[in-house]
Amino acid sequence: MGPVLAGVLQLVALIAALALAYVPLGTYMARVYSSDKHLRVEKWIYKGIGADPNTEMRWPAYLRGVLAFSAVGVLFLYLLQRLQGILPGSLGFSSVNPAQSFNTAVSFVTNTNWQSYYGEQTMGHVVQTAGLAVQNFVSAAVGIAVAVALVRGFARSRTGELGNFWADLVRGTIRILVPLSVVAALVLVACGAIQNFSGIHEVGQFLNGHSVGGHQQWNGGAVASQEAIKELGTNGGGYFNANSAHPFENPTPFTNLFEIFLLLVIPFALTRTFGVMVGSIKQGYAILATMATIWVGFVALMMWTEFAHHGAALQAAGGAMEGKEQRIGVGASSIFAVSTTLTSTGAVDSFHSSFTGLGGGITILGMQLGEIAPGGTGSGLYGMLIMAVIAVFIAGLMVGRTPEYLGKKIGTREMKLAACYILITPALVLIFAAASMALPSPPHSMLNSGAHGFSEVLYAFTSAANNNGSAFAGLNANTDWFNTMTGLAMLFGRFLPMVFVLALAGSLAEQKPVPITAGTLRTEKPLFTGLLVGAILIITGLTYFPALALGPLAEGLAS
């Protein structure tokens, strides 16, 4: 079987698995967030934190809950890293320095999981499990909660109430993320991923079964359980520096495909949740079709760029194999790279810096779309719904009619909030990248000069502001400048958009429904899906094309 055919067959198998999970998982999540019953363990949690899960919140109160919970998470994780040297299970590692502690705490709380450190040489068992793994669950649950609040804004009328943040947070964690992660972790362990709390071991170095002398240190950890929620929650932070290219995290071609499935299944299924909660399954399918069209298109482009190679060495390897694992191959690496950058996951099974110039550009563009195809857990859905509001507004301008979406008028207030949402992330990316290139110190962090060097910096801030977390490996981001600036980009890129999303949700919930007339744009039809895809690509292209032209496009055209 040729490598191209193998990649296509894996893509088909992945799509089939996602299709099988779509209806049951999406419907189940809708029931979770619509139920008025509380599990016993949930009641214990509410009592422990002093929250009344039955109290409805307007958008300012919901936002205060999101920000307060996240601030406590940043502080706790920061202190845990600073105290690591005196904690049990530290594996002999010292406390993490302040700048890196701040960066890592912000990274995991914002669901970015950007890592400017070597995981196996920096973090002990307590920080990994009680700190990073916990944030993998709750940061993902926060994203889903905000998305559900926006969906309620469309579904409800004549009220500003969006639900209860604490109930949404706890339910998302207890009823969705924990059970799915347990099942996924068992599958990974059965397939060879490690799960232990062992210390550091000295092992010999071998090549093709023969000792080549010397030793290296390997440490264990609760890898499979963290790998499961890392993908399910679209987090991305790896136990080891090689991330999902490491055989302890991703042992076989099957686990590689399984991990891609995990990072896609919740974001895609949330479109079904959306359709059920607003009372129109077809609306959910329209959003799904938009996400799937972009995702499949990007996968096809990536496979073409990575298989369309030049030169005898690349032809002999069957594709651009630099930076890719032989056991995984070009096709599966292409699917993983597109999926992880389109979902704000940031996990990698290959090094994106070693992709072809155009291939690296595709990963950057995938993040610059706003992580909406299908996007992160929750953040992908609310990002796509914001784009749907903008697409409806554009259609209204074309025909001279007041735009409507799901029975709600899109007026001046709604458009201002939607415009602020789509402007904040590009502003962060371009301002921070420009500042980094203008200062004398950051260029010394770049392993490469020229167009590729600029792409490294552009990728870093695109990844941080869009809460992705992957990186071009040629950039040394473990400096005070990059730790601080990417940390700020992650904070602003996560929480400022949430302000606009929740404010929009509150505005929509206060409206009374508008009756459907002959002039109403049918947003469940393929025509609207095409309009939405076009609006996304045009807005992103107009925003980022100059920066892309200086980096990956220049590199790709020159190669």
Side-chain angles (χ1 to χ4, degrees):
M1 182 187 301
V4 177
L5 179 59
V8 172
L9 290 177
Q10 289 187 71
L11 179 61
V12 171
L14 177 61
I15 293 173
L18 291 169
L20 289 173
Y22 178 74
V23 171
L25 180 57
T27 304
Y28 170 73
M29 289 192 291
R31 291 174 180 170
V32 166
Y33 290 106
S34 301
S35 173
D36 57 359
K37 297 181 179 180
H38 308 292
L39 302 179
R40 180 175 298 179
V41 65
E42 294 171 349
K43 293 179 181 179
W44 293 342
I45 295 173
Y46 299 140
K47 186 176 181 180
I49 63 178
D52 181 2
N54 298 312
T55 301
E56 288 282 338
M57 295 178 174
R58 299 177 70 86
W59 80 263
Y62 204 100
L63 176 63
R64 286 195 296 271
V66 170
L67 296 180
F69 178 76
S70 300
V72 171
V74 170
L75 179 61
F76 174 77
L77 189 50
Y78 177 84
L79 292 176
L80 200 63
Q81 294 174 84
R82 297 292 294 135
L83 297 173
Q84 176 175 253
I86 62 174
L87 294 175
S90 65
L91 301 177
F93 299 146
S94 60
S95 299
V96 183
N97 70 66
Q100 195 168 70
S101 294
F102 164 75
N103 183 276
T104 304
V106 168
S107 174
F108 278 77
V109 170
T110 59
N111 200 240
T112 309
N113 300 65
W114 169 275
Q115 294 174 289
S116 61
Y117 59 87
Y118 294 94
E120 63 268 46
Q121 298 177 13
T122 307
M123 302 298 181
H125 292 320
V126 173
V127 176
Q128 289 277 18
T129 54
L132 307 185
V134 168
Q135 287 303 322
N136 280 349
F137 282 96
V138 295
S139 66
V142 168
I144 301 176
V146 173
V148 168
L150 179 59
V151 173
R152 292 192 185 115
F154 284 110
R156 296 180 176 182
S157 59
R158 298 185 178 91
T159 176
E161 296 173 344
L162 301 175
N164 185 285
F165 167 70
W166 304 106
D168 292 339
L169 171 70
V170 172
R171 288 181 178 186
T173 304
I174 299 298
R175 302 192 195 184
I176 299 172
L177 296 173
V178 169
L180 290 177
S181 295
V182 170
V183 174
L186 291 174
V187 172
L188 290 173
V189 169
C191 294
I194 68 170
Q195 180 76 10
N196 57 56
F197 288 102
S198 68
I200 298 176
H201 301 277
E202 290 277 351
V203 297
Q205 298 188 61
F206 294 85
L207 179 64
N208 295 327
H210 301 285
S211 174
V212 294
H215 293 80
Q216 57 183 321
Q217 292 183 332
W218 287 1
N219 53 297
V223 176
S225 57
Q226 186 154 317
E227 191 75 10
I229 186 56
K230 150 188 158 180
E231 310 295 6
L232 268 171
T234 61
N235 297 286
Y239 221 98
F240 301 97
N241 183 54
N243 206 277
S244 292
H246 198 293
F248 285 0
E249 293 192 24
N250 186 10
T252 67
F254 170 77
T255 59
N256 186 73
L257 197 62
F258 180 62
E259 290 181 13
I260 302 174
F261 168 81
L262 292 179
L263 63 90
L264 291 169
V265 66
I266 291 179
F268 272 131
L270 277 171
T271 62
R272 171 78 179 189
T273 304
F274 161 70
V276 172
M277 293 183 70
V278 299
S280 175
I281 298 298
K282 291 182 178 180
Q283 296 288 349
Y285 282 131
I287 298 298
L288 171 67
T290 304
M291 293 177 171
T293 298
I294 296 174
W295 176 69
V296 172
F298 271 55
V299 170
L301 284 173
M302 182 65 82
M303 284 192 176
W304 174 73
T305 61
E306 297 304 297
F307 280 119
H309 44 277
H310 305 283
L314 291 176
Q315 290 177 357
M321 281 299 297
E322 180 185 340
K324 300 179 179 69
E325 285 287 321
Q326 182 66 40
R327 72 181 191 279
I328 295 173
V330 174
S333 296
S334 299
I335 300 171
F336 200 116
V338 167
S339 300
T340 196
T341 50
L342 281 175
T343 57
S344 81
T345 306
V348 293
D349 70 350
S350 56
F351 284 107
H352 296 176
S353 186
S354 294
F355 277 41
T356 61
L358 294 178
I362 291 171
T363 62
I364 297 175
L365 181 60
M367 295 182 288
Q368 291 173 343
L369 291 182
E371 307 285 32
I372 54 176
T377 48
S379 61
L381 178 61
Y382 66 66
M384 183 60 80
L385 291 178
I386 295 290
M387 295 303 302
V389 167
I390 293 173
V392 166
F393 180 76
I394 294 172
L397 291 178
M398 291 179 178
V399 298
R401 178 183 170 85
T402 302
E404 303 164 8
Y405 186 54
L406 299 178
K408 300 297 178 69
K409 286 187 176 182
I410 308 303
T412 303
R413 174 178 169 79
E414 288 75 24
M415 275 310 302
K416 287 179 179 178
L417 293 170
C420 288
Y421 178 93
I422 65 170
L423 288 174
I424 185 64
T425 305
L428 292 171
V429 173
L430 298 175
I431 290 172
F432 279 121
S436 295
M437 294 302 298
L439 295 176
S441 178
H444 295 304
S445 296
M446 298 186 300
L447 182 64
N448 301 283
S449 60
H452 194 78
F454 173 73
S455 295
E456 292 171 354
V457 176
L458 179 64
Y459 193 113
F461 287 106
T462 299
S463 176
N466 286 281
N467 302 130
N468 181 272
S470 61
F472 269 11
L475 180 72
N476 173 25
N478 189 16
T479 64
D480 287 345
W481 168 264
F482 278 108
N483 278 328
T484 304
M485 293 302 105
T486 55
L488 292 175
M490 288 183 277
L491 275 176
F492 296 145
R494 175 71 165 179
F495 296 113
L496 284 180
M498 284 184 175
V499 173
F500 304 126
V501 169
L502 292 173
L504 176 62
S507 179
L508 293 170
E510 292 173 350
Q511 293 187 26
K512 61 180 180 181
V514 179
I516 297 176
T517 66
T520 301
L521 175 65
R522 303 297 297 272
T523 54
E524 77 280 9
K525 299 294 184 178
L527 177 63
F528 179 71
T529 297
L531 174 65
L532 184 51
V533 171
I536 292 167
L537 296 178
I538 290 172
I539 290 172
T540 304
L542 292 175
T543 304
Y544 287 108
F545 181 77
L548 291 171
L550 292 173
L553 286 177
E555 181 185 0
L557 294 174
S559 61

